[in-house]
Amino acid sequence: MAAAAPGALGAVQAGRARLLAACCARLGTGWRLSGSWAGRQVGPAAWTWGPAQRRGYSSEAKTEDELRVRHLEEENRGIVVLGINRAYGKNSLSKNLIKMLSKAVDALKSDKKVRTIIIRSEVPGIFCAANLPVPTIAAIDGLALGGGLELALACDIRVAASSAKMGLVETKLAIIPGGGGTQRLPRAIGMSLAKELIFSARVLDGQEAKAVGLISHVLEQNQEGDAAYRKALELAREFLPQGPVAMRVAKLAINQGMEVDLVTGLAIEEACYAQTIPTKDRLEGLLAFKEKRPPRYKGE
């Protein structure tokens, strides 16, 4: 028994090392487990659906475009809004739209001026009929049924108007939630309640969703119909001043740590923490604190 213990411990440690390497590999091209983190800067992203807010946009797109890319100005500089505009399809996620979203996000990843990405609907009252390695917010101002809710469940934070409607209703069509709903909903609200909602195909409003823990914030809808979007923008602004590298690895540590035991989770946290130490951003944060000024992070 005594002789077997070191071998068993070694196997566990080796397995944990492989897990940590795989976790850090998920940060994408240019990021690695050891050495400096000089990867491309990507800001927090918010997935939001609801009526369009046109103030503060620097450019307009053609009406027929399914995806509109706008860079916000002034105090919102650094925030990019990707607006989904498929009114005829009630914002259903077509192959073409998913391809356009993927292409737009890939392009924004290499833009160091981008700190926050908001994805929302420009079709009033409809949420929708990818999960990024950066913070994501889903703002639900209208309907989020089936795939729409599954997309919201893939986000880190969900906010909704009290008048919004949410539910995984696939069983009504004799199918099951096939976009991650059977896996993410139990993780968000617990297995028993998730089963109840999926088995019944029940639709919840904002208040009910908040009560069961499906969303973090519920807002009374405003006259413009974009209360959830405004809350998402408020949260995104809170994220903007933080270190981009720290935001990425914090999300990685949380997500991967929730899938393993506490000891392994703490090891993942330690590995992620170590990646922030050699960064220029960490030194800038210390200097800014000493000089009592806002830090100027570059994601390096």
Side-chain angles (χ1 to χ4, degrees), residues 133-207:
V134 294
T136 57
I137 307 171
I140 307 170
D141 275 308
L143 298 176
L145 304 176
L149 181 54
E150 287 179 304
L151 183 56
L153 284 167
C155 297
D156 303 309
I157 302 166
R158 289 169 292 280
V159 300
S162 57
S163 58
K165 302 295 181 183
M166 292 156 273
L168 296 180
V169 297
E170 286 86 348
T171 53
K172 282 188 175 181
L173 303 176
I175 58 175
I176 70 170
T182 64
Q183 303 305 304
R184 292 192 174 100
L185 187 61
R187 286 169 168 78
I189 66 174
M191 183 182 296
S192 180
L193 188 52
K195 287 180 177 178
E196 180 181 330
L197 294 182
I198 292 174
F199 294 166
S200 65
R202 187 180 306 157
V203 175
L204 307 178
D205 62 25
Q207 294 291 350

Side-chain angles (χ1 to χ4, degrees), residues 117-282:
I117 302 171
I118 297 178
I119 303 181
R120 66 182 308 231
S121 172
E122 298 196 356
V123 180
I126 297 175
F127 183 87
C128 109
N131 195 14
L132 296 172
V134 294
T136 57
I137 307 171
I140 307 170
D141 275 308
L143 298 176
L145 304 176
L149 181 54
E150 287 179 304
L151 183 56
L153 284 167
C155 297
D156 303 309
I157 302 166
R158 289 169 292 280
V159 300
S162 57
S163 58
K165 302 295 181 183
M166 292 156 273
L168 296 180
V169 297
E170 286 86 348
T171 53
K172 282 188 175 181
L173 303 176
I175 58 175
I176 70 170
T182 64
Q183 303 305 304
R184 292 192 174 100
L185 187 61
R187 286 169 168 78
I189 66 174
M191 183 182 296
S192 180
L193 188 52
K195 287 180 177 178
E196 180 181 330
L197 294 182
I198 292 174
F199 294 166
S200 65
R202 187 180 306 157
V203 175
L204 307 178
D205 62 25
Q207 294 291 350
E208 292 169 327
K210 177 66 166 63
V212 301
L214 180 57
I215 62 176
S216 301
H217 303 275
V218 59
L219 303 310
E220 289 299 320
Q221 189 56 282
N222 55 30
Q223 291 184 348
E224 292 79 8
D226 64 353
Y229 168 70
R230 289 175 183 267
K231 181 62 178 179
L233 190 58
E234 177 185 324
L235 292 172
R237 286 172 181 152
E238 286 189 59
F239 298 164
L240 280 178
Q242 320 313 330
V245 175
M247 297 291 281
R248 290 178 69 107
V249 296
K251 175 171 178 173
L252 182 68
I254 294 169
N255 286 356
Q256 297 303 317
M258 289 297 293
E259 301 300 322
V260 297
D261 62 272
L262 179 59
V263 174
T264 305
L266 290 172
I268 291 172
E269 179 186 77
E270 182 179 359
C272 288
Y273 177 80
Q275 303 312 307
T276 66
I277 299 302
T279 64
K280 294 180 180 179
D281 279 355
R282 184 185 73 88

